[in-house]
Amino acid sequence: MNHRVLADWIMKRLFTLTGYFTILILIGILYLLFSNAIKAFSHIPFSSFFDLHWNPSAHGEPLYGVFQLLWSSLLVTLGSMLIAVPLGIGVAAYLSEIASPKVRKTIRPLIEILAGIPSVTIGFIGIVLIGPFIADVFHLSNGFNALNGSILLAFMALPTIISVSEDALRSVPPSFREASYALGANKWLTLIKVVIPAAGSGIVAACILGFGRAIGETMTVLMVTGNATAMPHSFFDPVRTLTAAIAIELGEVPYNSPHYYGLFVLGIILFFISLGVNFLSEWVASKLRYKI
Amino acid sequence: MSVISKNITSFIGLRFLGLCTIVVLAFILLVLIDIIWKGAGTLSWDFIFTVPRKGMTEGGIYPALVGTTMVTVITAIFSIPVGVATAVYLNEYASDNMFTKILRASIRNLAGVPSIIYGLFGVALFVEALRLGNSVVSSGLTLGLMTLPYIITATEEALRSVPHSHREGALALGATKWEAIKTIILPSAIAGITTGAILGVSRAAGETAPILFTGVTFYLRFPPDTLDSEFMALPYHLYILSTQHHAIEQVRPLAYGTALVLILLIVVLNIIAFIIRNKYAKELVK
């Protein structure tokens, strides 16, 4: 009896301790990211981060403006959303409203495989297939530009958008559809006038999550977007995104230099973007629960 | 709108949904078929079990395969026990208050943080502060931290699906809380936990950004023999062969072969997770 109680006592402490250890790790991650980013401000004036251009290794006057990187990230990500949002909602609607259970059971694992393909492999496909294709179609010298990144990121964001949207569409009660059919609407009208609006907040949440997935992606954009440090003017310009800037430059800078701390500032910006994306999607999705 | 034009819109609209699905499936199949088709020619025992030769224009991927395996094992050893134990703490021991709510929200958010941020953190903590240097262990722990929120979330979901009556039944029979966890709760949740763990670790195995600056290196003649040495990894090897090599066109077959091995590794892990999930789902129905 006694050793059973003892074992229980020990295990309770052990689990609690592990829980606290995880909390410590969470705090540690935040602390290290922020403390390193804050050190940047003692070397670099705060205002220089609001400049347009990013070129920390420039001789004489290093430039730390984040807007060029931010705009590049947004350009590639928004481009990917233009492709992924209609496609994703289309596939989700097909799976939830049209596909037979058998078809659905075949397609879903394939989409899960897409979610599991390592980003470096998607980047490789961008180099060997999408890049030459873009160069051919638009008569460019090479296909390493924002458009290539957008196409690849679209397919990387799709599994998230499809699965979350499909869940939202499936959670619309069948009575909604039946009421619409009873009023004489056909399948398509029911879908776009009743089912999609009813699942609206879930679908919006899905697209926000997809956006977050795309803007945080590193290896794919690093491999296919050309990485030029210039302000992009169109989808055919090469771009260097926030994530790619960290990935390229962290390997080149000496530890604890202003540039090194500057990269942590980029990390913090990315961190807040992903935080904002998560909270926004949870907030939007929670509105759905109140409505139905 | 007339009935006819309504029907035409409906016809086109529904076909459009099918078209969207075909486009996405076509992309997935294009990726898989291209890599399998062009990678299969490179794949051989020689490719898997020899080291790169002649400036990585010949030879195999053995050091990269061993490196990825070593790092992934460290990731699993760190993230699975800590993740499962944290989830047990959150779900079975911690009281449901504001603090645990905040904690759960942070863990969910950390699961969505871009992997490159874990790379930054890995450099600051393991390489710099803890002086582990560029090594297998630094990379393994960095990937472990990245995987941790994923495993906690998956385990909690599995634990929540165990009915409350099971817990109460065990306690009513005189089991201590630990005995209830060990004999009733964990065994009922094991399918969900295992699936989550395999998927989390397989995602880590394919990651590149977190290991870029914590220990991976582009060329080694031998696999790493200690945990504090630098290593080659499959995803990074593919990155080097396809973007950084001096003879990119010449090494393209090697890159395809590496991509195929990487995809096979991930797909096999995913299929194992899929089988476990289905097997236990059927047993539950019985």
Side-chain angles (χ1 to χ4, degrees), chain B residues 209-231:
Chain B
I211 60 173
L212 270 180
F213 310 108
T214 54
V216 79
T217 188
F218 72 98
Y219 175 70
L220 284 174
R221 289 178 54 208
F222 306 103
D225 43 8
T226 58
L227 291 182
D228 61 351
S229 43
E230 294 189 318
F231 62 97

Side-chain angles (χ1 to χ4, degrees), chain B residues 184-200:
Chain B
I184 304 293
I185 302 171
L186 281 181
S188 322
I190 195 72
I193 297 173
T194 316
T195 312
I198 295 176
L199 290 179

Side-chain angles (χ1 to χ4, degrees), chain B residues 245-283:
Chain B
H245 199 274
H246 59 87
I248 284 179
E249 293 303 325
Q250 193 191 340
V251 297
R252 188 77 6 121
L254 295 180
Y256 266 109
T258 312
L260 179 57
V261 173
L262 188 57
I263 283 207
L264 284 179
L265 193 76
I266 305 291
V267 168
V268 166
L269 285 172
N270 273 271
I271 288 175
I272 293 173
F274 187 75
I275 291 172
I276 291 175
R277 193 166 51 190
N278 278 5
K279 187 174 163 247
Y280 278 90
K282 275 193 197 118
E283 263 171 35

